[in-house]
Amino acid sequence: DAGVIQSPRHEVTEMGQEVTLRCKPISGHNSLFWYRQTMMRGLELLIYFNNNVPIDDSGMPEDRFSAKMPNASFSTLKIQPSEPRDSAVYFCASSPLGIAGAYEQYFGPGTRLTVT
Amino acid sequence: AQTVTQSQPEMSVQEAETVTLSCTYDTSESNYYLFWYKQPPSRQMILVIRQEAYKQQNATENRFSVNFQKAAKSFSLKISDSQLGDTAMYFCAFMRTGTASKLTFGTGTRLQVTL
């Protein structure tokens, strides 16, 4: 099993540019989560999907952030325009939530985003 | 809203010794899950152990075990026979039961295993 795949692993961009982070969940998982990790705020949930449908996006900082899950095997998190305060590690996690009683979340390796 | 508190920012333990990391949480829910995740310098988040709140028996995974005290809302992690590879940040996390529930994390404890 390949685990959760995220790309790119590192992204450096200039303020004002559009950034797209990508995630491929573990096959068969029905839930997908985007988290952000910073020194100041720790790990916080941005948005999560169940069966490709956004369930809770209350953690999305502002309209500059958007997330999509067009199918069960792919999700994107887009920041447009990016700002220096968006610099963080962004994690994608997936879960077979509710399938055979499972509930664990498995994390990808993260994308380290630096906005200059 | 749920909160998770880890009161030990840093801890150190010698190789082969035992260490306990503390975690408390606050919730009005009666059914929930608790987790410990490990984040080594590679930054990968690795699930260490999980506990269902309805289970009285404490979870164990090899050298890792928990002391779950539901009434006290306490969920500590014990690492036995510590190894150098256990050096990492450890995060305690809470999740409500139900469809697509999010993880709420504590601030983490940095554990250093020394020779």
Side-chain angles (χ1 to χ4, degrees), chain B residues 49-101:
Chain B
I49 197 165
R50 84 292 307 266
Q51 174 82 42
E52 296 91 340
Y54 65 86
K55 289 187 178 178
Q56 292 187 336
Q57 185 174 5
N58 290 323
T60 62
E61 289 286 343
N62 301 313
R63 298 183 294 107
F64 298 87
S65 61
V66 298
N67 183 4
F68 174 48
Q69 302 289 329
K70 190 173 183 179
K73 296 181 181 176
S74 171
F75 184 61
S76 61
L77 174 69
K78 185 171 80 171
I79 306 174
S80 304
D81 185 25
S82 296
Q83 300 175 359
L84 295 178
D86 295 333
T87 293
M89 282 287 287
Y90 287 82
F91 292 95
C92 178
F94 171 99
M95 187 176 80
R96 290 188 299 115
T97 57
T99 302
S101 295

Side-chain angles (χ1 to χ4, degrees), chain A residues 9-10 31 33 35 37 43 45 48-50 55 89 91 97 101 103-112, chain B residues 33 35 37 39 42-47 50-52 91 95-96 98-106:
Chain A
R9 293 293 307 276
H10 304 272
S31 298
F33 304 78
Y35 292 89
Q37 185 178 32
L43 277 154
L45 179 77
Y48 63 84
F49 297 84
N50 182 251
I55 302 299
V89 179
F91 287 101
L97 195 65
Y103 54 87
E104 301 88 349
Q105 293 183 23
Y106 298 90
F107 282 73
T111 295
R112 180 177 293 281
Chain B
Y33 305 116
F35 306 85
Y37 280 87
Q39 188 177 38
S42 67
R43 81 166 178 253
Q44 176 79 46
M45 293 289 288
I46 302 166
L47 179 61
R50 84 292 307 266
Q51 174 82 42
E52 296 91 340
F91 292 95
M95 187 176 80
R96 290 188 299 115
T99 302
S101 295
K102 67 177 185 179
L103 286 166
T104 299
F105 287 92

